[in-house]
Amino acid sequence: MSPVRRCSRTACGRPAVATLTYVYADSTAVLGPLATYAEPHCYDLCSEHSERLTAPRGWEVVRLATDTGPVRPSGDDLEALANAVREAARPQERSQNGPGARDIDPLEVARRGHLRVLRSPEP
Protein backbone atom coordinates (compact mmCIF):
# COMPACT_ATOMS: atom_id res chain seq x y z
CA MET A 1 0.00 0.00 0.00
CA SER A 2 1.34 3.43 -0.95
CA PRO A 3 1.98 5.92 1.89
CA VAL A 4 0.74 8.75 -0.39
CA ARG A 5 -3.01 9.32 -0.23
CA ARG A 6 -4.72 9.36 -3.60
CA CYS A 7 -7.63 11.40 -4.95
CA SER A 8 -11.02 9.96 -3.95
CA ARG A 9 -12.52 10.53 -7.40
CA THR A 10 -13.12 7.37 -9.38
CA ALA A 11 -10.29 6.44 -11.81
CA CYS A 12 -8.09 9.30 -10.59
CA GLY A 13 -4.73 8.15 -9.26
CA ARG A 14 -3.14 11.54 -8.65
CA PRO A 15 -1.89 12.40 -5.14
CA ALA A 16 -4.38 14.19 -2.91
CA VAL A 17 -3.66 17.81 -1.91
CA ALA A 18 -6.96 18.88 -0.30
CA THR A 19 -9.75 17.42 1.84
CA LEU A 20 -13.45 18.01 1.18
CA THR A 21 -16.04 17.82 3.95
CA TYR A 22 -19.73 18.66 4.02
CA VAL A 23 -21.73 20.53 6.64
CA TYR A 24 -25.21 19.37 5.73
CA ALA A 25 -26.97 21.53 8.33
CA ASP A 26 -25.53 24.68 6.70
CA SER A 27 -25.63 23.42 3.09
CA THR A 28 -21.90 24.04 2.88
CA ALA A 29 -19.00 22.20 1.29
CA VAL A 30 -15.63 22.96 2.92
CA LEU A 31 -12.45 22.43 0.93
CA GLY A 32 -9.28 22.78 2.97
CA PRO A 33 -5.73 21.53 3.27
CA LEU A 34 -5.14 17.80 3.24
CA ALA A 35 -6.26 16.36 6.58
CA THR A 36 -3.67 14.72 8.81
CA TYR A 37 -5.30 11.33 8.36
CA ALA A 38 -8.06 9.92 6.16
CA GLU A 39 -11.55 9.94 7.65
CA PRO A 40 -14.52 7.95 6.37
CA HIS A 41 -16.80 10.97 5.78
CA CYS A 42 -14.21 13.16 4.06
CA TYR A 43 -12.93 13.11 0.50
CA ASP A 44 -9.31 13.67 -0.50
CA LEU A 45 -8.96 15.48 -3.83
CA CYS A 46 -6.06 16.12 -6.20
CA SER A 47 -5.26 19.67 -7.31
CA GLU A 48 -7.25 19.38 -10.57
CA HIS A 49 -10.42 18.09 -8.90
CA SER A 50 -10.17 20.55 -6.02
CA GLU A 51 -9.92 23.48 -8.48
CA ARG A 52 -12.94 22.27 -10.50
CA LEU A 53 -15.11 21.52 -7.45
CA THR A 54 -18.72 22.69 -7.65
CA ALA A 55 -21.51 22.26 -5.13
CA PRO A 56 -25.22 21.56 -5.61
CA ARG A 57 -27.51 24.51 -6.30
CA GLY A 58 -28.16 26.44 -3.09
CA TRP A 59 -24.98 25.21 -1.43
CA GLU A 60 -21.98 27.35 -0.57
CA VAL A 61 -18.38 26.28 -1.15
CA VAL A 62 -15.89 27.50 1.45
CA ARG A 63 -12.29 27.25 0.26
CA LEU A 64 -9.81 27.47 3.11
CA ALA A 65 -6.34 28.71 2.27
CA THR A 66 -3.98 25.89 1.48
CA ASP A 67 -0.27 26.32 2.01
CA THR A 68 1.70 24.37 -0.54
CA GLY A 69 5.08 24.89 1.14
CA PRO A 70 6.43 22.88 4.04
CA VAL A 71 5.25 24.05 7.44
CA ARG A 72 8.07 25.53 9.48
CA PRO A 73 7.89 26.36 13.17
CA SER A 74 7.55 30.07 13.84
CA GLY A 75 9.45 32.00 16.50
CA ASP A 76 6.32 31.95 18.67
CA ASP A 77 6.12 28.15 18.42
CA LEU A 78 9.74 27.75 19.46
CA GLU A 79 9.34 30.19 22.35
CA ALA A 80 6.21 28.37 23.57
CA LEU A 81 8.07 25.06 23.43
CA ALA A 82 11.03 26.50 25.37
CA ASN A 83 8.65 27.91 28.02
CA ALA A 84 6.91 24.54 28.36
CA VAL A 85 10.26 22.78 28.85
CA ARG A 86 11.32 25.33 31.47
CA GLU A 87 8.00 24.93 33.30
CA ALA A 88 8.29 21.13 33.28
CA ALA A 89 11.87 21.29 34.60
CA ARG A 90 11.00 23.69 37.41
CA PRO A 91 10.95 21.90 40.79
CA GLN A 92 7.50 21.61 42.34
CA GLU A 93 6.92 23.69 45.44
CA ARG A 94 6.54 21.78 48.68
CA SER A 95 3.46 22.36 50.81
CA GLN A 96 3.88 23.63 54.34
CA ASN A 97 1.66 20.77 55.56
CA GLY A 98 4.58 18.35 55.50
CA PRO A 99 6.57 16.23 53.05
CA GLY A 100 4.51 14.71 50.25
CA ALA A 101 1.43 16.75 51.10
CA ARG A 102 -0.03 19.17 48.59
CA ASP A 103 -2.55 21.95 48.78
CA ILE A 104 -5.93 20.76 47.53
CA ASP A 105 -8.18 23.14 45.64
CA PRO A 106 -11.72 22.93 47.12
CA LEU A 107 -13.16 22.79 43.57
CA GLU A 108 -10.84 19.96 42.49
CA VAL A 109 -12.65 16.63 42.20
CA ALA A 110 -10.00 14.42 40.60
CA ARG A 111 -6.58 14.56 38.96
CA ARG A 112 -5.04 12.66 36.06
CA GLY A 113 -1.45 13.63 35.36
CA HIS A 114 -1.32 17.37 34.83
CA LEU A 115 -5.10 17.61 34.22
CA ARG A 116 -7.60 18.44 36.94
CA VAL A 117 -11.36 17.85 37.06
CA LEU A 118 -13.08 20.77 38.77
CA ARG A 119 -16.52 20.93 40.37
CA SER A 120 -18.79 23.67 39.03
CA PRO A 121 -18.93 26.63 41.41
CA GLU A 122 -22.33 26.97 42.96
CA PRO A 123 -24.15 30.23 42.11
Side-chain angles (χ1 to χ4, degrees):
M1 183 172 188
S2 172
V4 176
R5 293 196 342 235
R6 300 289 176 190
C7 183
S8 297
R9 296 290 303 259
T10 305
C12 181
R14 292 185 287 269
V17 297
T19 298
L20 172 67
T21 57
Y22 294 103
V23 182
Y24 292 98
D26 297 332
S27 299
T28 304
V30 181
L31 183 67
L34 188 63
T36 307
Y37 53 91
E39 295 202 25
H41 302 290
C42 296
Y43 301 92
D44 295 335
L45 299 176
C46 65
S47 59
E48 181 181 340
H49 286 120
S50 63
E51 290 171 8
R52 297 188 329 182
L53 176 72
T54 60
R57 185 175 296 146
W59 280 58
E60 180 182 0
V61 176
V62 175
R63 294 177 187 269
L64 302 176
T66 56
D67 185 16
T68 57
V71 178
R72 296 189 172 268
S74 70
D76 291 340
D77 293 336
L78 295 175
E79 184 176 348
L81 178 61
N83 288 339
V85 169
R86 282 187 205 107
E87 183 68 29
R90 185 175 296 152
Q92 295 183 357
E93 295 178 13
R94 298 260 181 205
S95 173
Q96 295 179 3
N97 298 337
R102 65 171 197 214
D103 293 327
I104 305 276
D105 185 353
L107 295 179
E108 186 175 321
V109 176
R111 199 175 255 275
R112 182 172 213 147
H114 68 284
L115 302 175
R116 298 184 308 156
V117 177
L118 301 177
R119 180 182 9 251
S120 296
E122 299 190 18

